[in-house]
Amino acid sequence: MEIIANNQNRKTWLPVVDGCDFPIQNIPFGVFITKDDIITIGTRIGEYAIDLGAFHQLGYFNGIPLTDDIFMQDSLNDFIADGRKTWRLVRNRIAEVFDAENSSLRDNKKHRDVIIFDVNEVEMLMPIDVGDYTDFYSSKEHATNVGKIFKRKDEALIPNWLHIPVGYHGRSSSVVVSGTNIRRPYGQTLLDNASTPVFGPSKKLDMELEIAFITTSANDLGKPININEAEENIFGMVLLNDWSARDIQKWENAPLGPFLSKNFASTISPWIVTLDALEPFRCESPKQKIEPLPYLQAKNTNNSFDIKLEVTLETENGDLNTLSNSNFKYLYWTMAQQLAHHTINGCNVRAGDLMGSGTISGPTEDSFGSLLELTWNGEKPITLKDGTTRTFLNDGDNLILRGYCENKNCRIGFGKCTGKILPPIKH
């Protein structure tokens, strides 16, 4: 089916400023609550939130096989479960109705008043009910840096890293939407030269620059997903800040990996940008050093996306400090490889499952995706505009992640993914 929603020459009758993350070619999906306290599934064009529940009720999806309540829910899970054919039909219809030459909604003020809202008048909610959350570890630069920082005796990369997309199962209940404050977590840490741990709030609270993809109901228990069919089962992507308490993580990491150091919070951006919308920005991923096993070999070599990523730290006095500029295309293991590996043992994947990329670091110091790397575990403090320094995050710091694709015709963005650090709750 042709993706007519991606027509980069299309204009809309809604005012959209140049360089906006949400032109008519984007048409992301999210969940919001209106000023009338109605929860609805919607999309966004420019600075306008579109109520797709009202849009559907008023007949603008006529001819598309949708249940009456598909957009009148508090999560996108059921819509995602309908599959790619439905997603494309819906995006195409939205693009047609909001096309500059289409007067059906443009000239109907009564309908516009119940469908279109100023985006600043709605409250964004979690877009999905996250059933399961998996976090991969797919940046070669990041994994190598971590190995060097913690001075592994042999090579910086662990032996299996070049053979499999390493990952772990995370906690889904603490995945929160952008704008949610993050409490500094407690845990056990082992101080330098000590033999027994102490308990207290983390002193090395870190961010992780990631992107996550969201799956549909992809496979039955016991049936793997073929790597060449994997992207058919990916609905879209969000920005992800997978907060980490590095001092807690160092103590608990052996033998089973992170636990309290990671499960206290993970923040995602509210608008899911579909894989279809990102199609014009495909690119090749890095050449893999070791040829993977056949189940991880894809026919398509254009298997990544050129998504520019930025991390900004906002201090309590409002200063904005750029910490990192990276790119999704640096990831060594692709989404298709991640999903194929995740299910090769028969693990079933469901609509609304969240798959994190792992920290996305690039080849230069200013493209590292965590403070652990940017400050080299505190050895190289960062000086901010107000003269203060950071090795890890202070209470009051607000982290802002942004991501966007851009060419000469169009920009497709994710908006913001933010979280402010609050002091720990007193015990």
Side-chain angles (χ1 to χ4, degrees):
M1 182 193 304
E2 185 182 358
I3 313 173
I4 64 171
N6 287 4
N7 179 356
Q8 298 198 7
N9 295 317
R10 188 189 300 276
K11 303 294 183 183
T12 176
W13 47 265
L14 283 172
V16 178
V17 299
D18 290 340
C20 175
D21 276 356
F22 303 100
I24 193 171
Q25 290 80 10
N26 192 337
I27 311 180
F29 293 92
V31 177
F32 58 83
I33 184 167
T34 70
K35 58 186 178 183
D36 299 319
D37 290 329
I38 297 171
I39 295 176
T40 186
I41 288 171
T43 188
R44 177 173 176 175
I45 298 175
E47 295 303 303
Y48 298 93
I50 314 299
D51 181 344
L52 293 181
F55 191 86
H56 185 20
Q57 283 184 313
L58 292 170
Y60 290 96
F61 285 129
N62 282 351
I64 300 176
L66 298 168
T67 59
D68 291 343
D69 65 346
I70 191 71
F71 297 117
M72 300 169 65
Q73 302 185 37
D74 59 6
S75 84
L76 278 155
N77 291 47
D78 284 354
F79 175 64
I80 293 171
D82 260 11
R84 176 161 283 190
K85 181 180 178 181
T86 297
W87 313 333
R88 285 184 175 172
L89 287 169
V90 165
R91 283 188 72 246
N92 286 348
R93 180 64 58 82
I94 294 168
E96 290 173 345
V97 172
F98 284 92
D99 187 284
E101 303 301 318
N102 191 323
S103 62
S104 58
L105 177 58
R106 183 192 67 197
D107 296 346
N108 191 327
K109 185 179 184 304
K110 184 178 178 181
H111 285 188
R112 290 201 317 271
D113 287 346
V114 295
I115 290 175
I116 303 172
F117 297 87
D118 184 321
V119 75
N120 297 306
E121 295 180 346
V122 304
E123 178 186 351
M124 299 306 300
L125 306 176
M126 275 289 292
I128 51 173
D129 181 9
V130 183
D132 285 296
Y133 166 45
T134 301
D135 193 33
F136 287 94
Y137 188 54
S138 291
S139 165
K140 187 168 181 277
E141 290 82 2
H142 173 67
T144 302
N145 288 339
V146 170
K148 290 178 179 178
I149 288 169
F150 293 110
K151 300 177 175 62
R152 291 202 180 99
K153 293 180 181 179
D154 302 315
E155 291 188 34
L157 284 175
I158 54 178
N160 65 356
W161 199 93
L162 293 170
H163 293 273
I164 59 173
V166 176
Y168 77 99
H169 298 294
R171 180 73 183 178
S172 61
S173 65
S174 53
V175 179
V176 296
V177 73
S178 174
T180 304
N181 292 329
I182 306 300
R183 286 282 181 183
R184 183 175 296 273
Y186 283 90
Q188 292 187 22
T189 58
L190 187 68
L191 302 180
D192 291 343
N193 302 317
S195 57
T196 55
V198 296
F199 175 79
S202 171
K203 295 180 180 178
K204 291 187 174 183
L205 185 55
D206 200 356
M207 56 87 183
E208 288 191 358
L209 172 61
E210 302 193 25
I211 281 185
F213 68 87
I214 295 158
T215 62
T216 186
S217 300
N219 62 320
D220 295 327
L221 183 66
K223 183 181 179 182
I225 297 172
N226 185 285
I227 189 168
N228 296 307
E229 299 171 358
E231 287 191 3
E232 291 297 312
N233 298 291
I234 296 174
F235 174 63
M237 302 164 73
V238 291
L239 300 172
L240 168 66
N241 187 344
D242 195 27
W243 308 92
S244 296
R246 299 299 184 185
D247 44 357
I248 298 172
Q249 185 175 5
K250 183 180 178 182
W251 171 236
E252 72 179 2
N253 213 44
L256 292 179
F259 183 38
L260 299 188
S261 58
K262 300 286 286 185
N263 73 357
F264 61 96
S266 303
T267 305
I268 64 172
S269 51
W271 294 105
I272 304 173
V273 178
T274 63
L275 229 56
D276 279 353
L278 296 171
E279 191 65 31
F281 305 95
R282 279 192 177 274
C283 64
E284 291 188 357
S285 58
K287 183 174 176 56
Q288 298 193 323
K289 184 176 180 181
I290 296 173
E291 184 176 72
L293 291 173
Y295 78 95
L296 291 173
Q297 296 176 21
K299 294 177 182 177
N300 180 18
T301 58
N302 246 23
N303 46 23
S304 190
F305 297 90
D306 183 6
I307 306 173
K308 298 174 178 65
L309 300 168
E310 303 172 353
V311 182
T312 303
L313 187 154
E314 181 183 18
T315 58
E316 284 198 287
N317 62 17
D319 283 339
L320 297 175
N321 302 267
T322 300
L323 298 183
S324 176
N325 286 282
S326 192
N327 198 300
F328 181 76
K329 69 181 180 182
Y330 295 144
L331 284 177
Y332 185 89
W333 293 104
T334 68
M335 292 186 293
Q337 288 176 318
Q338 291 168 349
L339 189 53
H341 182 67
H342 198 312
T343 63
I344 194 62
N345 64 347
C347 173
N348 56 319
V349 172
R350 299 175 294 184
D353 283 356
L354 189 72
M355 310 279 181
S357 61
T359 304
I360 303 172
S361 293
T364 58
E365 289 187 8
D366 63 350
S367 63
F368 294 165
S370 67
L371 284 168
L372 176 70
E373 299 162 88
L374 290 166
T375 71
W376 214 250
N377 198 24
E379 293 180 12
K380 302 176 182 178
I382 296 171
T383 301
L384 305 183
K385 290 178 180 178
D386 62 4
T388 62
T389 60
R390 295 291 187 279
T391 52
F392 292 93
L393 297 173
N394 287 357
D395 294 344
D397 287 346
N398 184 39
L399 265 293
I400 305 168
L401 274 56
R402 293 182 183 271
Y404 63 94
C405 307
E406 198 167 37
N407 58 29
K408 62 181 181 180
N409 297 314
C410 188
R411 172 180 169 128
I412 300 292
F414 291 78
K416 294 191 297 185
C417 177
T418 69
K420 183 176 182 179
I421 305 301
L422 297 186
I425 297 174
K426 292 184 178 181
H427 277 249

